[in-house]
Structures are given as structure tokens and as C-alpha cells.
Amino acid sequence: MAAQAHVSETLRKAVVGNRVGHAYLFCGPRGVGKTTLARMLAMALNCPNRDESGEPCGECDSCRRIWGGNTALDVVEIDAASNRGVDDARDLRERAMYAPSEEGRFKVYIVDEAHMLTREAWNALLKILEEPPSRVIFVFATTEPQKIQQMAAPILSRCQRFDFKRFGVSDIVQRLADVLAAEGASAPEEALRIVARKADGGMRDALSLLDQVLALTGGEVDTESVRRVLGLVEEERYLELLDILADGRHAEVFAFVGRLVDEGYDLVEFYHGLLDMLRALLRVRLTPDEALDLPEGTQADLAAKAERFDPGDLVRMLAAAAELESQGSLRRSVNPRILIEMLLLRLSYMDRTVHLEELLGMLGGDPSSGGGAGRPGAPGEGSRPRESGVRAETAEAATPRTIVDDVRAGDPEPTPRDRGSPAATAAPRPEATPRPAASAAEAWDRWLEAGRGVPKGLTAFLRSATVEDLGDGTVSVSPLPGPAAERLADVGIQNAIRKGLEPFLGRPVTLSIGAAAEAPPAASRVTQSEVREDTMRALFRQEPRLKRAVEELDLELMD
């Protein structure tokens, strides 16, 4: 096996050098040759005609019995899924105490689906694995070694572990071609590649799928018959969908999904194909010169479609599509059509997605976040209009831009905290002697805007604090709860805040650090909605105009 050469070569040299271990653990996904290599190891150990390289002859009676899975005195295969109890393990332990049937032979026990054994069964086998009888070998095959780690961790230290790899597409295609040649049949390479990709690295699954196709066609395998058997959606359908998404034809999503359902396509298979297509589209967009494993002509079509999407939009589209699978809602749903339609509608509106940083920049944020370089909304160095290439006219007339313009026009009295205001952006440098503020809150904002003496790492946290003038020169600072609130108890931090605030207030300051909002009792659980509300309140404190934008645009905090 080319994909498992690291295992087969190690075992072959162990047989030749008489260094075979007493217990092996074969781990890997299904259909990658774990049981097959276990049988080959048993054949090599018991073959009387074994060559010098450790290869069994495959022709003797012992080899034929072991390879065919027939009754053999010295090689026993056990399905742990149906023989998983402690009594079965004790029976296996007692049988292993008997010597092989002939001199020079080995007793090999192949335990498939070993992760199904109970904790008690593993405990019953532990002693014999610690002190195994002479010429007795155990081979445990499993697809989930982590379960063995959880139930019987000491077992792992008694076994030599081999991790099996998935087969590559080219290896599977070559094997399928050899099987077809032996059967006197033929198939185009593209049809075999579709089968290989569907097998997802499992050789056994690929051979089973090929057998299904041969049963349908009677020997002549073509691409269309493979798609019919596997229920796959043609690339043309996905290219049609990309046009719908790029043009923003939202209403056509329902008709597109309806045609898929009417023609009998499996929506789950369509969804998995959509993930592959979006991934390929993103790769083509980022690395147009890289050759992908796609049908002839498909990469050129994807390259043309990819130019209509912004890379950032493609990343968000792929993330939104992958989220449906990670949540598992598609597999649990009795009506996957609704989920697919909602997903495609989200993808069709993806060009209207606005990052929080971009929104703040449009509201008049500092130039570094994409706002203005000299005035609100003016594109500065390092900023550019958000052009996704998707429906330029629609993006030009999108609601967020109109509302943002209204927000700018409807703010007749910008405060010093509005970083995008002309007063804030036009000043070359702060005054040497600041003008005393009218209130402690105004002095607090002006000090944070100037950035003089603000303790490192606390700027954003201090913006969210509530500041009040208590009289007699005392200023109360009430922070939000969080890890940073503990730093305000430090005397050095308090002195830095007091010294930084005094020039802007025009008088000596006595600080009074208020207690942060009490955390909920340990017995209660903070809900996700409460976390979102607290986060939004903190954002509103930092950027007051954001509250109006959220209300006007009906925005929702996603992350």
C-alpha cells in the first residue's frame, strides 16, 4: 500500500529481523487498510514460503485461509462491536494461553473496532498485554483511538501504535483503474476522480462506489453515470448559483432551490458541493495561477466568476456556509430546504456586510480605522472605498450609506470626543496649556483624546467608565466590571490618572474609584443576550453616535 508504506515497511523489517512486537494498535479512518495490513502481518508470520524480504507467498494453504478470512487455527479475527464485554475478554485471554498449532507459527488475534470494548474488558486484557505468552500477538484496529485513551490509557503504553493515512486522490484513481482493467471495463479519468473525491481518502469506500456504478452501467463507466449514482450536482448548477449571488438576484434563490428539489437532488449533497465550490472559488481568487484538481474548463469558469467577488466577501461566505455544518443543524433538520434557502439568501446579501471598524470610520473615526484623513468620510491614505465587485449600483444605493450620511448631517454640535470632527482632526497638536473643562466628564474625555499620561492598555477601558464631579475637588470614576478594573486599585495607576486629568480640569483632583458593577452570583449563568447587551453598552460609551447608527440600521452584534 503506497499510502501506508510507513507501516508496511516497518512491519516487514520487523518480521525479517525477528523483532515483532507482542501488541499493535492500528489507528486511522475507515477503509484505509488497517485490517488488511493486520492480515498481511499474520500471513507473513505464518507463511512457510516467506521470502527474504518478509513477503508471504500468498499461495500456500495458510496464506489463502488468512487472506480469505476463513477458519484458521492460529489467526482469529474478533469484532469488538459485538464481543465487547468482560466475559468475551476473559475468553480471549484464556484462548491466548494455548500454544500455536505447529512449531514456528504465531497465534495472531485481530480485534477490529477495538474502541467498542468496555473499560472492564480492557482491564481483563491488561495483564496478558503486560506479560504476553510466547509467540502470541495482538493487533487492535480502531477508528477512534481517543476513546481508548479515555477508557484504558495504560493499554496504549503496552502497544506499538501506527497511524494510518488517508489515500490520495491519485492513488485511489490508479487503484480503480487497475480494478477496471482486471474486470475488462473502462472509464474516463474524470469519472474516476469524482469517485475518488467522494470516497474522502477511503479505498474501501471508493471500491464500493465503483461497484455501484458498474452495476448500473454494466461495465462502461462515464461521468454522467457516476453523478447519477452518487447524487452529485453538476458544476454548471454551482456556476449558475454564483451568477445569482454576484448579481444580487435574491428572489431567484427560491426558484433555484426549487429546481434542485424537483429534479430529485439531495440538498445535503448539494451543500457539501457548495462548500467545495466556495473553497475552490476563494483559492482561484487568491492564487489564480495555481492549478487545482478541477474538471477541465471549470477552473477557467471559476476564475471569471471570482473576479466579481471581493476576497473578504468570499471568506465570509465560506465561513457562513461552514457554520451550518459545524452546528450540525442541517443533519438534524427535518426540512433542510429552509436552511439551504436561508444560507443562500445570506450569501446573496453578503456584499452589504459592514465591519464594525468600517462603520465607525464612516461615522467619523480616526484615519487609521478607515475614517477620514482630514474630514469625516474623506478617503485618506490606506483607506479605499469598499468595492466588492458585486452589483456596484446596488452598493452605491445601499441603505447603510444613506443613513450614515444622515447621521453626519444630523449632528450639528460635534463634541470633542467625536474624533472625526473638524475640530479634532484639523488641530496639528494639542495645546500646551489646555483650556479648563466645564465638567469632570468633559475633562475626562479631553484627556483620553489627548492621550497624555494615559496608562498603557487602559485607554479603551477608561473610555467606558462613568465619571462624576462630587464636589470639594473629588472626581468619582466608576469602571465597568472586568479584569482591567483590578488595575485601578494600584496607587501608581491612580496617580497617573490624577496627574493626567488635573491640567484639563484646571484644579487639583482627588480620585474616588467607585466599585465595579457586582458580578452575578456563582450559581447563576450569564446568558448570551446579557453579554451582548453589556458589550453594546460599552461600545456606546466609547462611540456615542454608534447607538444611533445601530437603531437606524437595525444592526446586530455578531462577534
Side-chain angles (χ1 to χ4, degrees):
M1 296 184 179
Q4 318 304 343
H6 64 294
V7 181
S8 58
E9 287 298 322
T10 302
L11 295 178
R12 180 184 293 109
K13 292 180 179 179
V15 171
V16 173
N18 197 24
R19 300 182 63 87
V20 179
H22 65 277
Y24 292 96
L25 180 63
F26 290 174
C27 310
R30 69 175 192 269
V32 295
K34 298 186 295 295
T35 306
T36 300
L37 272 181
R39 290 179 181 176
M40 294 179 65
L41 174 61
M43 290 168 58
L45 290 173
N46 293 313
C47 179
N49 303 322
R50 185 181 67 210
D51 60 22
E52 295 180 355
S53 66
E55 286 287 347
C57 68
E59 301 294 334
C60 64
D61 183 67
S62 174
C63 290
R64 288 198 302 269
R65 284 182 174 276
I66 296 173
W67 185 251
N70 300 322
T71 303
L73 293 177
D74 297 325
V75 179
V76 181
E77 293 191 28
I78 300 173
D79 179 18
S82 54
N83 301 274
R84 61 192 302 265
V86 63
D87 292 334
D88 299 306
R90 288 170 179 167
D91 179 64
L92 173 60
R93 183 181 61 188
E94 292 174 1
R95 293 165 58 185
M97 300 304 296
Y98 293 98
S101 60
E102 297 180 14
E103 186 71 23
R105 294 177 64 87
F106 285 81
K107 292 181 71 71
V108 182
Y109 292 92
I110 303 174
V111 183
D112 202 7
E113 303 295 338
H115 60 274
M116 297 295 291
L117 291 175
T118 63
R119 188 186 305 273
E120 293 75 14
W122 282 118
N123 290 337
L125 292 175
L126 182 58
K127 186 61 176 178
I128 196 172
L129 290 177
E130 289 177 339
E131 300 176 3
S134 177
R135 307 186 75 81
V136 174
I137 296 173
F138 290 91
V139 180
F140 300 100
T142 179
T143 57
E144 302 181 52
Q146 70 277 4
K147 289 188 176 181
I148 301 178
Q149 171 70 35
Q150 295 168 2
M151 289 190 301
I155 294 293
L156 300 181
S157 62
R158 272 77 177 180
C159 302
Q160 294 186 26
R161 174 170 173 169
F162 290 95
D163 289 290
F164 285 59
K165 304 176 183 178
R166 295 181 183 274
F167 286 90
V169 172
S170 58
D171 294 331
I172 296 178
V173 169
Q174 182 61 47
R175 177 59 179 163
L176 296 181
D178 294 340
V179 171
L180 287 175
E183 294 289 335
S186 61
E189 182 177 352
E190 180 54 36
L192 298 182
R193 284 192 171 275
I194 294 176
V195 174
R197 287 194 292 267
K198 179 65 176 177
D200 192 25
M203 185 67 75
R204 185 176 64 226
D205 290 348
L207 294 173
S208 299
L209 293 174
L210 180 62
D211 191 47
Q212 289 180 254
V213 176
L214 288 174
L216 173 67
T217 62
E220 291 298 327
V221 179
D222 55 25
T223 305
E224 182 61 28
S225 62
V226 170
R227 292 188 180 280
R228 287 171 54 195
V229 170
L230 302 183
L232 302 180
V233 182
E234 299 85 355
E235 283 84 0
E236 291 77 12
R237 297 299 182 94
Y238 294 109
L239 296 176
E240 176 188 355
L241 174 62
L242 293 178
D243 286 332
I244 294 175
L245 300 180
D247 295 336
R249 304 197 301 267
H250 316 297
E252 293 189 21
V253 167
F254 298 99
F256 176 82
V257 177
R259 288 194 298 272
L260 293 178
V261 174
D262 294 340
E263 296 174 17
Y265 288 104
D266 184 357
L267 291 182
V268 177
E269 288 292 341
F270 164 77
Y271 166 75
H272 291 303
L274 177 63
L275 287 177
D276 294 336
M277 186 59 66
L278 290 176
R279 176 178 176 273
L281 189 67
L282 179 60
R283 292 186 62 186
V284 169
R285 184 70 173 86
L286 297 177
T287 54
D289 298 331
E290 181 182 357
L292 305 181
D293 184 20
L294 295 172
E296 184 178 357
T298 301
Q299 182 163 349
D301 294 335
L302 279 182
K305 306 291 185 187
E307 293 298 326
R308 308 182 64 187
F309 294 90
D310 184 78
D313 285 339
L314 289 177
V315 172
R316 287 186 284 272
M317 291 168 69
L318 184 58
E323 182 181 359
L324 190 61
E325 183 176 34
S326 62
Q327 293 176 347
S329 54
L330 188 63
R331 293 188 295 272
R332 296 192 305 266
S333 176
V334 296
N335 189 4
R337 177 173 181 171
I338 299 296
L339 298 178
I340 294 296
E341 288 175 345
M342 291 305 300
L343 171 62
L344 297 184
L345 285 173
R346 288 181 62 189
L347 300 185
S348 68
Y349 281 102
M350 193 61 66
D351 65 308
R352 298 190 181 185
T353 302
V354 179
H355 279 290
L356 181 60
E357 293 83 356
E358 296 180 13
L359 179 61
L360 294 178
M362 295 165 67
L363 290 172
D366 54 27
S368 63
S369 63
R375 57 181 178 84
E381 184 179 357
S383 65
R384 60 178 180 83
R386 187 174 182 273
E387 297 178 357
S388 62
V390 183
R391 281 190 57 192
E393 296 180 0
T394 302
E396 186 72 21
T399 302
R401 179 173 179 179
T402 304
I403 297 297
V404 169
D405 291 338
D406 293 341
V407 172
R408 294 175 185 158
D411 193 7
E413 297 180 4
T415 64
R417 193 171 185 172
D418 299 334
R419 291 174 292 173
S421 63
T425 56
R429 63 176 62 88
E431 300 174 354
T433 303
R435 174 177 55 84
S439 64
E442 180 183 350
W444 184 267
D445 289 339
R446 290 174 57 187
W447 170 55
L448 293 177
E449 289 295 332
R452 292 193 208 167
V454 179
K456 292 184 179 180
L458 288 180
T459 302
F461 177 72
L462 294 177
R463 286 184 186 277
S464 63
T466 301
V467 180
E468 296 179 332
D469 196 339
L470 302 181
D472 298 330
T474 302
V475 175
S476 172
V477 179
S478 300
L480 289 176
E486 300 177 359
R487 296 184 59 188
L488 295 186
D490 184 86
V491 177
I493 296 294
Q494 294 183 13
N495 290 335
I497 295 176
R498 180 175 53 79
K499 292 179 180 180
L501 189 59
E502 285 178 350
F504 292 88
L505 200 55
R507 56 180 171 81
V509 173
T510 301
L511 283 182
S512 174
I513 305 299
E518 293 186 1
S524 63
R525 297 187 62 183
V526 179
T527 63
Q528 187 176 10
S529 60
E530 292 174 346
V531 174
R532 290 179 182 273
E533 291 175 1
D534 292 342
T535 305
M536 291 300 292
R537 281 196 293 267
L539 290 174
F540 293 158
R541 290 177 184 271
Q542 298 178 34
E543 191 65 47
R545 289 185 295 177
L546 178 61
K547 182 176 182 180
R548 181 178 177 184
V550 170
E551 294 173 350
E552 293 286 348
L553 304 179
D554 192 21
L555 299 178
E556 178 183 358
L557 180 65
M558 298 301 296
D559 189 5

